[in-house]
Amino acid sequence: PPLAAYRKQLIALVDRGVKVFAIFSGVHGELYNDDHQLFEYLPELRGRVEHAYFPDANHMFTERAAQGVLLDAVTTWIGRTFH
């Protein structure tokens, strides 16, 4: 979605208390290529949304190595967030 709509939707979720773990892959290197790029675009979400950036993964995480790293990140986040 356009940045304004994305901002509005994410802020609405966070304001309702929804825990958000934003995951970005490096497949669109020209569009998203920095670990903290989310907060460069949406600074008001820093500290309110957790994120992970996988520069070597494709959008669907089809490679086994990428799947393992993703699984570890998600299960760690779940354990830390919903203990």
Side-chain angles (χ1 to χ4, degrees), residues 7-18:
R7 172 181 278 118
K8 183 178 178 180
Q9 293 166 357
L10 274 176
I11 290 173
L13 286 171
V14 172
D15 285 348
R16 286 196 343 244
V18 174

Side-chain angles (χ1 to χ4, degrees), residues 32 35-51:
Y32 197 99
D35 185 33
H36 295 280
Q37 190 167 336
L38 173 66
F39 305 119
E40 292 167 11
Y41 285 109
L42 306 170
E44 63 273 30
L45 292 176
R46 188 177 297 278
R48 301 181 73 198
V49 169
E50 290 194 54
H51 75 289

